[in-house]
Amino acid sequence: MTSNPTYGFGTLLGLDHIGVGVSDLEASLEFYAQLGFSDIVFDYTGALDGLQQVTGKDTTEARVVYLRSTNPTVLGRSGVKLVQITNREQGPLPEGFAYGEPGICEVCLHVKGQAEFYQHLVDTGHTSLMEPDEQVLEPYQTHCGLSYVEDPDGAKIELIEWSTLESGWPHPDGPQGVNHVAFGVTDIERTEAFYRTLGFTGKLFDASGINTPMNPWFESVGRVPPVQRMMLLTSPHGGALEPVEQDPPGADMRGEWGHLGTFEFAIGARNLDLALTYLKSMDIPLVGDPVEIPMADGQVWRYAYFQDPAGLFVSITEVRA
């Protein structure tokens, strides 16, 4: 059988993880373990090659800990990657960021019993950003409950429970894995068309309006809450993407690579070589060269970057055991 580089979108696997910049990795490991992320895929300290064009820096060295949930489910499949830069001062979370401006908005974790889990986190000393709220989303009248807490460096952590979807799934209460990443864009229809070519072919909702529970976030940075159009683009193989477009648009909050808080997301690949062949066939150029980092235990971490229509640097990643 001859290989077909376009088969399965070049082995792409949906959202694999969200990159989070941290100032104290041990404290962040403790926090994310409380969210169920205590399965350490790898813990690497050293040079990160191939990032010169992404970071604007000649060299980047960091400690990187790649975490997965101990209870992944079909509604919570993806992981988080904690990054603490070690060879320079780490950039701050962009000042004035509320939600939906160009940049990475959040880590969204699927939780069965999210309201009770939110209360547990708040009762044990974690900062609340939004109390539990119930929403029904167009066009399929999909019901969810959601709330927000803050990680040690100010990243927004959404706790979501897709009650319409989880009905009938016999999972115990508590956190699962990452359901989706939200990110601000300037042209949501162009973004949707682009990511459909990378395997995000489903759409769970497409809604527009002022999301009232988020109003305090905008008011705290001196903005009138904008109208936001949001959609959830799904992949059958991994986590989902939630692009957000504001009207009127907000300022660019992408910040520098590796800044504190959420700064990037990665799409998984069964085979990075086939995935990159597929990107080339779609005229999507890489930013820098692909990188392969061998680990002490025999694992190999492979990654490459491209830039999407909103100007975000997105990673394609593969970890080989």
Side-chain angles (χ1 to χ4, degrees):
M1 179 183 294
T2 59
S3 63
N4 181 353
T6 63
Y7 177 75
F9 300 98
T11 76
L12 294 173
L13 296 173
L15 176 71
D16 182 80
H17 68 259
I18 303 172
V20 183
V22 303
S23 59
D24 181 338
L25 226 156
E26 295 306 322
S28 291
L29 284 171
E30 182 178 342
F31 172 80
Y32 282 93
Q34 293 178 62
L35 304 184
F37 295 98
S38 53
D39 179 4
I40 298 177
V41 180
F42 65 75
D43 186 340
Y44 167 79
T45 300
L48 300 176
D49 294 329
L51 293 180
Q52 289 85 351
Q53 296 179 61
V54 175
T55 64
K57 310 290 185 181
D58 291 336
T59 60
T60 297
E61 297 177 9
R63 183 180 173 194
V64 181
V65 183
Y66 181 20
L67 301 170
R68 289 203 177 276
S69 170
T70 56
N71 184 36
T73 72
V74 70
L75 295 175
R77 292 173 166 173
S78 305
V80 294
K81 180 180 72 182
L82 306 182
V83 177
Q84 184 171 2
I85 295 176
T86 57
N87 70 324
R88 61 175 178 270
E89 185 177 356
Q90 199 144 359
L93 195 152
E95 185 177 356
F97 176 68
Y99 188 94
E101 300 90 350
I104 309 299
C105 301
E106 68 181 18
V107 172
C108 180
L109 176 67
H110 194 267
V111 182
K112 188 170 183 180
Q114 66 82 24
E116 293 78 12
F117 187 67
Y118 159 87
Q119 194 61 53
H120 166 73
L121 293 175
V122 172
D123 289 345
T124 53
H126 298 294
T127 301
S128 169
L129 296 178
M130 181 192 295
E131 294 182 350
D133 182 62
E134 302 292 317
Q135 297 187 6
V136 177
L137 299 172
E138 302 291 344
Y140 307 118
Q141 301 298 303
T142 307
H143 179 269
C144 68
L146 67 151
S147 54
Y148 280 82
V149 296
E150 187 174 76
D151 92 343
D153 290 289
K156 289 181 171 67
I157 309 296
E158 181 181 15
L159 311 173
I160 199 165
E161 182 170 16
W162 291 107
S163 50
T164 302
L165 304 180
E166 73 179 1
S167 178
W169 291 91
H171 296 297
D173 287 354
Q176 299 165 11
V178 169
N179 177 262
H180 68 261
V181 60
F183 55 101
V185 303
T186 54
D187 185 334
I188 198 168
E189 292 185 355
R190 181 176 64 174
T191 295
E192 178 185 6
F194 176 81
Y195 281 106
R196 281 186 176 277
T197 69
L198 300 185
F200 295 89
T201 53
K203 185 190 287 191
L204 183 59
F205 69 82
D206 188 339
S208 183
I210 294 176
N211 198 337
T212 303
M214 293 182 178
N215 286 2
W217 301 349
F218 293 96
E219 293 162 354
S220 69
V221 297
R223 288 190 62 196
V224 174
V227 171
Q228 298 190 90
R229 183 179 174 192
M230 305 176 179
M231 61 177 63
L232 198 71
L233 304 175
T234 62
S235 163
H237 304 296
L241 307 181
E242 184 182 50
V244 182
E245 183 180 356
Q246 295 183 347
D247 183 18
D252 188 342
M253 294 291 169
R254 287 175 294 169
E256 63 181 71
W257 188 94
H259 70 70
L260 297 179
T262 48
F263 69 88
E264 75 165 13
F265 64 86
I267 297 171
R270 287 193 185 92
N271 182 295
L272 185 66
D273 300 310
L274 291 178
L276 298 186
T277 297
Y278 179 72
L279 291 187
K280 184 176 181 180
S281 76
M282 300 301 293
D283 295 321
I284 301 172
L286 298 184
V287 179
D289 296 324
V291 174
E292 184 170 302
I293 299 178
M295 305 289 175
D297 61 359
Q299 289 181 311
V300 177
W301 175 28
R302 309 177 75 208
Y303 62 83
Y305 281 82
F306 66 86
Q307 198 165 20
D308 80 355
L312 296 171
F313 292 111
V314 180
S315 174
I316 303 290
T317 190
E318 175 195 5
V319 177
R320 291 182 174 178

